[in-house]
Amino acid sequence: MSKSKTNENFIHRCTSKQVKIAAYRRSIVESGMAQEDICEILDFFLFHAPMLKNDKKTEYSALKRLKDFGWTGNAKLLELEGKLLEAAEMEIFCILKSDTIKQTLKEMNLENQICICHPRAVMKQNCRITVCEDETVKIGVKESRMECLFRHIRNAFAHNDTYFFENGFVLLEDYDMDRRVSAKILFERKTLLQWIQIVKNKAAK
């Protein structure tokens, strides 16, 4: 069986100590963060996450869209992504339109024993695959890259799929309907608060 191909830019190699993440799985309430920070993070990412709404589900009624914060159009969304990456000290969000992200998680050292010193993220983006009559295949997205990011963050907190490490980093994890990992996002926990301000400040201008 041939090895699955991955994007050559989605590779993380370092000599940092590898940590087994299972021992650090805990909810944000158990993270040791200040109560006011916990409330701000949950209020924004869990209850008012700027992600694609599903109007048929009342549970999503309080959620916002990125345009509600003033982030509209491709140029503004690219600006937002750049600001979020800069705050998190990441070079890129690895966002894939694929059935699985398993091989990319391995290449990015985000499986079960990982480096927890370097921020990075791998996410599966909701997409639509269409097979035309001439048998060509077209892939269309159901959400923007930023909607994808905030959806995975919301799900991680909603299902307590979070890991808090002693060095101040947090790993957010999400799964698809088949219980396959659909996202892993690693960064300093303070980044969550910085991202809130980045999104909200645009709305205040």
Side-chain angles (χ1 to χ4, degrees), residues 40 44 192-202:
E40 183 176 1
F44 183 80
L192 290 164
L193 296 167
Q194 293 172 328
W195 281 7
I196 293 172
Q197 294 307 311
I198 288 172
V199 175
K200 285 186 172 181
N201 282 346
K202 185 63 180 180

Side-chain angles (χ1 to χ4, degrees), residues 49-53 55 63-70 147:
M51 53 178 271
L52 192 65
K53 291 182 182 178
D55 296 330
L63 300 181
K64 293 181 178 292
R65 298 180 191 271
L66 283 168
K67 68 179 182 181
D68 296 330
F69 292 98
E147 289 168 340

Side-chain angles (χ1 to χ4, degrees), residues 8 13 51 53 55 60 68 70 103 116 119 124 139 143 151 166 178 186 188 200:
E8 62 182 11
R13 299 284 184 269
M51 53 178 271
K53 291 182 182 178
D55 296 330
Y60 288 94
D68 296 330
Q103 186 61 37
I116 59 170
K124 179 180 174 183
I139 301 177
E143 61 185 353
R151 173 175 60 83
E166 295 170 352
D178 297 320
L186 177 74
E188 290 187 81
K200 285 186 172 181

Side-chain angles (χ1 to χ4, degrees), residues 120-137:
R120 53 200 187 278
V122 178
M123 292 166 275
K124 179 180 174 183
Q125 186 177 19
N126 280 339
C127 61
R128 179 188 301 105
I129 299 176
T130 303
V131 181
C132 302
E133 288 189 51
D134 62 0
E135 298 185 348
T136 58
V137 177

